[in-house]
Amino acid sequence: MQPSRDIRRLVEIIEALRHPETGCAWDRQQTFETIVPYTLEEAYEVADAAARGDMDSLRDELGDLLLQVVYHSRIAEELGYFDFGQVVETITQKMIRRHPHVFGERVRLSPGELESLWDAIKEKEKLGKSAMAGAAGGEHNGSNVTQASVLDGVPLALPALTRATKLQSRAASAGFDWDGAKQVIEKIREELAEIEAALAAGKPGAIEEEIGDLLFSTVNLARHAKASPEAAVRRANAKFERRFRFIENALARLGKTPREATLQEMEELWSIAKQAETGE
């Protein structure tokens, strides 16, 4: 087996690894459920490489993510559901369907007009899927019919911040939204007051619930500010890690560890690290 630029070679490699007699023992026992954690991990590694601007790593991580797509497709083919070719056909159909201004009658649309167009197309697709599901399920009495929701189709497995953003965007598309960031900031202040009250009452369940409300409202603020909460938190994580490592290295030069230093010493070093980065 030789490497190749042809996607078919990757499909052949996965087929060989999954072969029931001559394949790899580890690969043969994998299922959708066991592979999903790797799929999520690879997606995050793609995001990390892109954020760092590391093109060599990005090329490598995109390959790992593509492997996951081929792997899931192979398992589905073995179970008689679909194959990789059908996955490619489905996404090409979707892209053509969702870009009639490019692949149909060519017209110039503004970003706002495009968002409205895509929302309308997605809503039509959703209604089509609901109709198909209803037909497949046969007749139902009224008590068993589930009302279609604009929130349908937002995967539970998404990272919490990403899912919160998608839920809020879906609700906003139906007119359920704050008028602007100022109102969201007022809501955040309200949530902070409720956290303080829950802390004073010493109720762990209420504390967690109110913190959840605060985080949800913060995601709403990011959405109104046209910022990605996931990207913002990743950058905050990287900044914290960078500055804390500065503290560790500075203390090491003094023959100390963070556990041996005082909080005041570490805060002073943190200020030095911040000033070096921001000039403030």
Side-chain angles (χ1 to χ4, degrees), residues 80-123:
Y81 295 129
F82 56 82
D83 60 19
F84 180 72
Q86 289 171 294
V87 171
V88 175
E89 182 180 20
T90 299
I91 189 57
T92 54
Q93 287 176 341
K94 181 184 293 185
M95 295 306 292
I96 293 169
R97 185 172 64 246
R98 291 188 178 181
H99 293 80
H101 57 295
V102 175
F103 301 112
E105 183 180 350
R106 296 183 67 88
V107 293
R108 287 186 176 275
L109 299 176
S110 69
E113 290 172 327
L114 284 171
E115 287 186 11
S116 297
L117 173 63
W118 288 327
D119 286 342
I121 293 172
K122 290 176 184 177
E123 186 63 26

Side-chain angles (χ1 to χ4, degrees), residues 251-280:
L251 288 172
R253 288 192 292 272
L254 298 173
K256 289 184 177 182
T257 67
R259 290 185 178 86
E260 296 167 336
T262 66
L263 179 58
Q264 182 178 348
E265 286 178 305
M266 289 191 284
E267 287 181 342
E268 288 174 354
L269 289 170
W270 179 277
S271 295
I272 293 171
K274 179 180 179 180
Q275 186 175 20
E277 289 184 3
T278 65
E280 298 177 357

Side-chain angles (χ1 to χ4, degrees), residues 131-142:
M132 290 176 63
E139 295 184 359
H140 299 278
N141 59 47

Side-chain angles (χ1 to χ4, degrees), residues 131-147:
M132 290 176 63
E139 295 184 359
H140 299 278
N141 59 47
S143 62
N144 290 331
V145 174
T146 300
Q147 176 65 39

